[in-house]
Structures are given as C-alpha cells and as structure tokens.
Amino acid sequence: MPFTEFITLVHATDSTFPSLSSFYRTWWTRQSSRSAYPFTFYTDVTMPNIVYLISGWHSSEEYTEWCNSEDRRRLIQALPDVVAISRNVLLNMGFDTIPRAARGLICVSVVTVDATEAGDGDGVWAFSGMERSLGVRWTGCGEDVRSPSTLYRFTMYDVDVTEESILGRYQRDAVILMRRVGVPAANDG
C-alpha cells in the first residue's frame, strides 16, 4: 500500500527556506533516489519559518529501509542547528492522489477520533455549503500509521481563493495553511 510522508520543519526566525538551499537540495536528491515519488516542498502561509516536506513511499518496508539507511543518517546529522523537525508522520494516503501540477493553497487539518465514537467517521469532516463555495479543487484524508486515531485532511483550494477566506472558516490555530514551492536554487552567496 502506498503511503504519504508529511514532515514539518521549524526554522529559527533568522533562517529562511532559500537560505538553506544547499541542505534542502541534498535532502531532495537523497530521498528522491530512494523513493519512486517526487519530494515536494511547501511553506507555511502564516508562519514563514515553517517548511513542510511531502513525499510518497510504495510500502512501509521501502520507508523503513530509507529510515535505516546511511544516507538518511548522514542527512539528519547534517540538519542545520537552525532547523528542527517538529513532526514526521507516515499517512495511509497515496501520494499520487495529491495534485502536483495544480497551484493553490492547501489547508491541512488534524483530528483525533475517539475509538468509542459511533459510526464510521464520515461526519468528522463533512463539507458544508460554505466550504464548497470557496472552490475546493481536491481533498484527501489519511490516518497516521503510527497513531491510527489521528486523521490528516488535506484540502487544496482554487488558485483564486485567498488566505483570509480559508482561515475565516477555521480556527487559526487548528489548521496548517501552506503553499507549494519549488526545490530551492543553489545559493551562490
């Protein structure tokens, strides 16, 4: 079963995604050589010191092999002091379901479902008329493989939907709002 890896990196306030281009290009190269899926970067819209890395894996065995590899160990050891990994989850959501060519803001919400809740959970994130009116391009959901009661919902909005209109529908501290960015160019200075 294919999986999606979702990593959150927090930069010290004086460092930026482009300023660490060499490190991120190395990570992109090393992980992409192990996974058949592309390695994608996103920046947080409301907190520019946060970067999200999303990639896919064909199986948990392939992911475990990467996690135990010398390449990954060297990569983690080379993690700049100004960057901390605050989250690294593996989701049972196929990476290929995420539209890679589409541009627009992606909202990520996280919910923990109590095992005693009745039903199959269909009502956890039912779309309301307000959400439909925003222009949702795609939505996908996956559970955290290590914590199956934790669900991650990704919603991509049309390119003309504004940050304010999305955040107006959610509690600001309850969602992640991110934008896709390219692999950082080599930093010559």
Side-chain angles (χ1 to χ4, degrees), residues 47-160:
M47 293 181 280
N49 65 316
I50 298 179
V51 174
Y52 305 99
L53 312 177
I54 301 178
S55 187
W57 298 96
H58 284 299
S59 66
S60 59
E61 293 81 14
E62 182 183 63
Y63 174 73
T64 300
E65 184 178 307
W66 159 249
C67 288
N68 295 328
S69 73
E70 186 61 32
D71 270 349
R72 184 170 184 277
R73 275 193 284 280
R74 283 194 309 257
L75 185 67
I76 297 302
Q77 288 174 345
L79 190 69
D81 291 339
V82 295
V83 177
I85 299 173
S86 70
R87 171 187 7 230
N88 186 350
V89 295
L90 196 61
L91 305 170
N92 70 354
M93 178 177 84
F95 180 78
D96 281 334
T97 65
I98 302 170
R100 286 185 289 250
R103 294 293 182 243
L105 297 173
I106 295 181
C107 180
V108 181
S109 51
V110 182
V111 156
T112 300
V113 179
D114 186 332
T116 62
E117 290 182 28
D120 60 3
D122 287 341
V124 172
W125 284 308
F127 273 115
S128 67
M130 287 191 312
E131 285 175 305
R132 284 193 196 105
S133 69
L134 284 180
V136 172
R137 176 174 290 274
W138 167 83
T139 188
C141 180
E143 69 180 356
D144 182 337
V145 171
R146 296 177 200 105
S147 177
S149 62
T150 304
L151 306 174
Y152 285 72
R153 176 182 174 193
F154 294 75
T155 304
M156 178 181 280
Y157 292 92
D158 290 332
V159 72
D160 60 340

Side-chain angles (χ1 to χ4, degrees), residues 5-21:
E5 182 178 20
F6 182 53
I7 303 169
T8 304
L9 297 165
V10 180
H11 290 206
T13 55
D14 61 343
S15 71
T16 62
F17 182 61
S19 72
L20 298 171
S21 62

Side-chain angles (χ1 to χ4, degrees), residues 25-34 66 71 74-75:
R25 289 188 70 74
T26 298
W27 194 332
W28 176 73
T29 301
R30 288 184 183 171
Q31 186 161 334
S32 295
S33 72
R34 296 285 189 134
W66 159 249
D71 270 349
R74 283 194 309 257
L75 185 67

